[in-house]
Amino acid sequence: MKELLAKLNIRKVFGYALYMLLVLVFQTMFLSQIRPLGVCCMFLPAAVVAVGMFEDPVPAAVFALILGVFADMAFVENVVLFTVLFPVLSFATGFVCRFFINRRFFAFIFTSIAALTITAVVQMVRTGVEDAFSASMLTTVLLQVFWSVPPAVVTYFGPAKWIK
């Protein structure tokens, strides 16, 4: 227990807590109100990827788990979707960045687009299980990913890169 407390950086914990609060408030209060063509932007997966790129896999997954719990509480239609999905995305990003890809902007964009696509497809599959699949669901997935890329660009240059 002493080793864990010795490794724990209180400044970093508060920094990521503030980052999580800002990301959730921006997503739920601002971006959920803007719906071009009826599709809402979802940039939380990009924030999870950003933390996964700049942290080790396990701390990034812990951050993503907590963010996923709060995101599931913020979005009424989800029960445990983000709580399960976000830690997996963050851990996978941290692992891949540690061994295979660099932490540069283009790698971040491609990883974020993959995470945004995975999140949108999982949301589509969950909805498709409850209702019937349709072509409009695929259009919604593509539009959600398209609208989510500009805020994802901002998350690369945001606090996840500055907190050390």
Side-chain angles (χ1 to χ4, degrees):
M1 185 69 168
K2 278 189 173 184
E3 296 92 25
L4 178 66
L5 291 175
K7 290 172 95 175
L8 191 64
N9 185 346
I10 299 299
R11 184 176 159 271
K12 188 183 279 192
V13 169
F14 282 125
Y16 278 122
L18 181 63
Y19 178 59
M20 187 183 319
L21 178 69
L22 290 173
V23 165
L24 277 170
V25 166
F26 187 68
Q27 175 69 52
T28 57
M29 298 295 203
F30 182 69
L31 288 180
S32 64
Q33 304 304 317
I34 301 172
R35 295 178 182 262
L37 298 176
V39 179
C40 182
C41 171
M42 170 65 108
F43 85 106
L44 293 178
V48 166
V49 166
V51 174
M53 283 195 107
F54 299 115
E55 280 294 326
D56 288 333
V58 174
V62 170
F63 168 83
L65 176 70
I66 296 169
L67 180 65
V69 168
F70 285 112
D72 279 333
M73 287 192 291
F75 296 102
V76 187
E77 64 272 4
N78 296 326
V79 179
V80 293
L81 176 70
F82 297 136
T83 304
V84 174
L85 185 62
F86 286 172
V88 171
L89 292 173
S90 186
F91 184 84
T93 301
F95 181 80
V96 168
C97 285
R98 189 170 199 168
F99 295 109
F100 300 112
I101 64 173
N102 59 20
R103 291 176 166 89
R104 307 259 179 187
F105 179 72
F106 289 112
F108 170 77
I109 288 299
F110 288 120
T111 309
S112 291
I113 290 172
L116 292 167
T117 305
I118 290 168
T119 302
V121 166
V122 168
Q123 287 174 320
M124 179 188 72
V125 168
R126 187 189 64 83
T127 305
V129 169
E130 295 171 0
D131 301 329
F133 283 105
S134 67
S136 66
M137 294 174 94
L138 187 58
T139 305
T140 303
V141 165
L142 294 174
L143 284 173
Q144 180 176 333
V145 172
F146 179 74
W147 300 142
S148 302
V149 171
V153 170
V154 175
T155 60
Y156 177 78
F157 299 106
K161 193 172 183 177
W162 303 334
I163 301 171
K164 293 184 181 176

